[in-house]
Amino acid sequence: MSAVDRLNEVKGRIAEAARDAGRAPGDIELIAVSKTFDADAIRPVLEEGHRVFGENRVQEAQGKWPDLKDEFPGVELHLIGPLQSNKTKEAVALFDAIQTVDREKIARTLATEMKKQGKTIRLYVEVNTGMEPQKAGIAPDDCASFLAMCRAELGLTIEGLMCIPPFDENPGPHFALLRKLAEENGIAKLSMGMSGDFETAVAFGATSVRVGTAIFGAR
Ligand SMILES: *Cc1c(COP(=O)(O)O)cnc(C)c1O
């Protein structure tokens, strides 16, 4: 099966999960995660008309996306991997959304860099719903104060929350927690769900799902 066939299959599964949850399929955005795949592997998916993609490394994305963005107008590129502050300038220049705002320093650097470049990036705060020590993200208990700081001190608009549940746990409670945090803090968007659990995420209210393997194949 080609990546385009798998893309269409994933879209169908999202639509079905949405209908099962009493939601409109169009309310869920599919982010095709193209990390580790080169431009030739991505191009057919662009030719099919898909425009929303996710990458987890700034440097890797810089190697393929400037040319693809020229070739295919309307691409919307999301950074879904960790951002180092020394890469903020490049990230703001290339990406349309950054889903991994996970500490004050990065929020500050992003605010400064967006002003400098005159560019507004859609921002998501990453929440470490499983409180995993090795994982990035704001602790659930610190979420409200972090969001308040982003708004009041930095003047940032935070569009959504993002989480990556622990690999070996039922993701449902993590998705539910992310949704609760969003509701408590007046945040509209939820980026949650990957190849293994995007249908569950849709049931719990995901507005974006980030799907790599199920579209492009194993990495
Ligand atoms: C790689 C990645 C994905 C996609 O994972 P798959 O299991 O391949 O669908 C989603 N979100 C993040 C943050 C990732 O790094």
Side-chain angles (χ1 to χ4, degrees), residues 22 28-29 34 69 81 88 91 107 132 157 169 209 217:
I28 295 128
E29 172 181 68
S34 49
K69 278 189 151 191
T88 310
E132 294 173 280
T157 299
E169 283 183 32
V209 294

Side-chain angles (χ1 to χ4, degrees), residues 11 15 43-44 65 95 119 166 177 191:
K11 280 190 197 167
R43 199 171 278 110
W65 280 103
F95 288 92
K119 187 179 173 195
L177 173 58
S191 172

Side-chain angles (χ1 to χ4, degrees), residues 98-191:
I98 293 178
Q99 298 210 353
T100 49
V101 179
D102 63 353
R103 57 197 191 279
E104 181 169 343
K105 186 180 179 196
I106 275 297
R108 255 178 218 290
T109 316
L110 280 169
T112 306
E113 195 57 42
M114 288 195 296
K115 203 169 283 174
K116 208 184 276 179
Q117 295 189 27
K119 187 179 173 195
T120 304
I121 309 283
R122 293 159 53 195
L123 299 176
Y124 282 62
V125 166
E126 181 174 355
V127 182
N128 188 357
T129 57
M131 299 281 284
E132 294 173 280
Q134 82 287 4
K135 204 170 262 178
I138 300 288
D141 283 350
D142 298 337
C143 199
S145 61
F146 183 75
L147 289 167
M149 185 281 298
C150 286
R151 286 171 176 148
E153 270 186 55
L154 307 178
L156 291 174
T157 299
I158 302 295
E159 175 175 304
L161 301 181
M162 181 270 234
C163 75
I164 310 168
F167 183 69
D168 54 355
E169 283 183 32
N170 172 10
H174 296 275
F175 296 155
L177 173 58
L178 198 70
R179 180 179 180 159
K180 177 172 167 277
L181 290 169
E183 281 168 0
E184 285 171 359
N185 290 285
I187 301 270
K189 303 277 186 175
L190 293 170
S191 172

Side-chain angles (χ1 to χ4, degrees), residues 1-11 37 40-48 212-218:
M1 214 152 105
S2 70
V4 167
D5 289 342
R6 286 189 298 253
L7 170 80
N8 288 321
E9 187 191 286
V10 167
K11 280 190 197 167
F37 291 92
D40 287 341
I42 301 167
R43 199 171 278 110
V45 173
L46 284 157
E47 282 164 353
E48 179 73 2
T213 312
I215 295 170
F216 291 103

